Amino acid sequence: MITWKNMDTLAAYAELQAADKVCVASAMSGENGADRVKDYTVPMGAGMDFNFAARPVDDAILSILEKFAAEQQLVEKFAALYNGEVINTGEKRLVLHHLCRGQLGEDVVADGVNKRDFYVGEQNRIAAFAGKVHAGEITNAAGEKFTTVCQIGIGGSDLGPRAIYLALENWAKVNNTLKMKAAFISNVDPDDAAGVLSNLDLAHTLFVLVSKSGTTLETLTNESFVKNALAEAGLDAAHHMVAVTSETSPLAKSADYLAAFFMDDYIGGRFSSSSGVGGCVLSLAFGPEVFADFLSGAAEADRLATNTDLRKNAALLDALIGVYERNVLGYPTTAVLPYSQALSRFPAHLQQLDMESNGKSVNRFGEPVNYLTGPVIFGEPGTNGQHSFYQLLHQGTNIIPLQFVGFRNSQMGSDVLIQGSTSQQKLCANVAAQIVAFACGKDDTDLNKKFDGGRPSSIIIGDKLTPQAVGALLAHFENKVMYQGFAWNINSFDQEGVQLGKVLAKKVLAHDTDGALKAYSDLLNI
């Protein structure tokens, strides 16, 4: 039987607090470091490995983390989630995004529907639609093929799909699977929509409107913006738009769209990239086969995340080391640093995934917790970040755990030999150097040039950023966030903190304001 406990009631948590701390600098120096790199590596799916040699743990702490996982029933709670228990207690909903990419456990029947069959059915409908668009069977009013797809959405309807598209755009060019260019409109700032539209051939652009409720203010505003632009160009919007929404939303059966594809309340926005939210735009951009490969990579990472052996479960291991760093060592922030330009927007997606999920101060029962929960997440691709904020990471007063991502080979294969090494070798050399520099530091009598080291990091490393690799990366971090939420006994699947601003914004637009809200409204000339 599963029990939901606050972390500070666990015997293993008290043991963690009392355990001897690991000196990362000593652990990573000399042959010790070489041995750790070999020993502290775990498969995470799609040919990638999670290496945690430079994190502040040793075998003794890992043993306590195993006790923590067992005492808090973390793997059992994951099984309850994918087998259809009501895990989202705030909204009294199931949490089923894993079912979009495979069946981990039992059939889940909700609202009289087998949910795995439902998600696969929608994926098949999207695949068939994308095939017809690519074949020229679905065209604009003039009978001409669409060449661009543009997604209109915000938050989870934008960040994940956008990050995945950018991650695979160059790969698709090299592998001749780029069927349509993709663009994205998200911000209600009119300069966003206007700027994107100014670069589109509207006559040959298919728009994908994503809103589960069909009432998202920013998305519907941008839809109107797009429809106005189409009308001014003499185009019928009904020939240029599809919707991804719920079956009960006002968009579901509207004549304003060529087609509507469905999701449900059991898939939260920030976890929706493997549903139709990502599936529609990515299948149109790359073809359904590429999206299926992306799902297969996610499914492989999901299966590994069910393992009860901590040393064989990268997502659980990453999560628990993160809990240790946050709650025992007191580190407030985590940086995600992909050494791959293709992953330029992946940290932005993880900001939402992590901070919207675990930015909570009450437990699953609405009671305040007496310990820290989710960290602040930020990041930028290397090597750009090295010339931006790494100074603080190396010598600042806060220690910030780092999560590197790196690949042995580039996506596009084109490279040059300069000063005895290729650009890809220089990229990989930089990430290797940074891990050791952060961990080991450098002594110097000039304190301005002294590096204390002891700055922890891990690296996810693979051969090449492929669709399967992107899927596994996404699933790894989704499952890490889930496991940390379980560890902290919070609900990672609602986002009440997002709602208050929305309510007040509506009051401003209705001119129903007073006090500071009215003063700021006047200041902004609303």
Side-chain angles (χ1 to χ4, degrees), residues 54-68:
R55 300 286 281 274
V57 296
D58 57 12
D59 289 347
I61 289 175
L62 290 173
S63 177
I64 302 171
L65 291 177
E66 287 178 329
K67 295 178 188 177
F68 185 108

Side-chain angles (χ1 to χ4, degrees), residues 19-250:
D20 292 337
K21 307 297 188 293
V22 172
C23 175
V24 172
S26 297
M28 288 297 291
S29 296
E31 287 304 311
N32 289 338
D35 291 340
R36 280 174 69 95
V37 172
K38 287 184 287 187
D39 295 341
Y40 282 13
T41 300
V42 178
M44 58 157 282
M48 293 189 296
D49 292 316
F50 172 68
N51 180 281
F52 60 102
R55 300 286 281 274
V57 296
D58 57 12
D59 289 347
I61 289 175
L62 290 173
S63 177
I64 302 171
L65 291 177
E66 287 178 329
K67 295 178 188 177
F68 185 108
E71 189 177 358
Q72 193 67 315
Q73 300 175 290
L74 297 181
V75 174
E76 293 87 344
K77 287 169 182 174
F78 183 23
L81 180 150
Y82 61 69
N83 284 320
E85 290 195 22
V86 178
I87 297 298
N88 179 350
T89 51
E91 297 171 315
K92 297 180 173 57
R93 291 174 180 170
L94 288 64
V95 177
L96 300 181
H97 54 277
H98 297 89
L99 275 181
C100 291
R101 54 221 193 197
Q103 184 86 50
L104 288 173
E106 304 161 4
D107 283 346
V108 177
V109 177
D111 308 322
V113 175
N114 181 302
K115 300 310 293 186
R116 170 68 180 156
D117 290 347
F118 171 72
Y119 300 139
V120 171
E122 290 306 303
Q123 288 166 3
N124 290 339
R125 289 182 61 228
I126 288 169
F129 179 84
K132 290 179 179 178
V133 171
H134 299 153
E137 296 174 34
I138 295 175
T139 66
N140 66 10
E144 299 163 337
K145 290 179 71 170
F146 293 109
T147 58
T148 303
V149 55
C150 180
Q151 180 127 314
I152 308 169
I154 196 166
S157 299
D158 169 74
L159 288 165
R162 188 194 296 249
I164 295 163
Y165 173 77
L166 292 174
L168 294 175
E169 183 180 23
N170 286 335
W171 179 91
K173 289 175 182 175
V174 172
N175 289 275
N176 297 314
T177 64
L178 186 61
K179 310 291 187 181
M180 303 169 71
K181 288 280 291 181
F184 297 84
I185 296 172
S186 59
N187 201 329
V188 76
D189 180 345
D191 286 343
D192 184 23
V196 171
L197 293 174
S198 70
N199 291 315
L200 297 181
D201 175 2
L202 293 179
H204 301 96
T205 299
L206 181 63
F207 293 89
V208 180
L209 182 78
V210 183
S211 173
K212 181 160 57 180
S213 66
T215 61
T216 309
L217 176 65
E218 295 95 333
T219 301
L220 295 185
T221 299
N222 281 328
E223 180 196 27
S224 297
F225 202 108
V226 168
K227 284 183 173 179
N228 183 66
L230 289 168
E232 288 182 350
L235 301 168
D236 182 358
H239 285 92
H240 288 262
M241 301 191 102
V242 299
V244 178
T245 189
S246 68
E247 291 181 287
T248 57
S249 95

Side-chain angles (χ1 to χ4, degrees), residues 91 356 494-506:
E91 297 171 315
E356 193 168 87
D494 65 4
Q495 55 284 326
E496 291 302 320
V498 178
Q499 304 306 318
L500 178 58
K502 292 181 179 180
V503 171
L504 293 180
K506 288 180 179 178

Side-chain angles (χ1 to χ4, degrees), residues 339-341 382-383 407 422-432:
Y339 275 61
S340 166
Q341 187 60 30
T383 57
F407 299 92
T422 66
S423 296
Q424 184 66 25
Q425 288 172 328
K426 290 179 175 67
L427 179 72
C428 291
N430 270 277
V431 70

Side-chain angles (χ1 to χ4, degrees), residues 474-494:
L474 181 87
H476 172 86
F477 283 101
E478 287 181 351
N479 293 327
K480 173 194 171 183
V481 166
M482 170 197 70
Y483 273 132
Q484 289 188 329
F486 289 159
W488 288 315
N489 196 32
I490 57 178
N491 178 13
S492 300
F493 303 104
D494 65 4

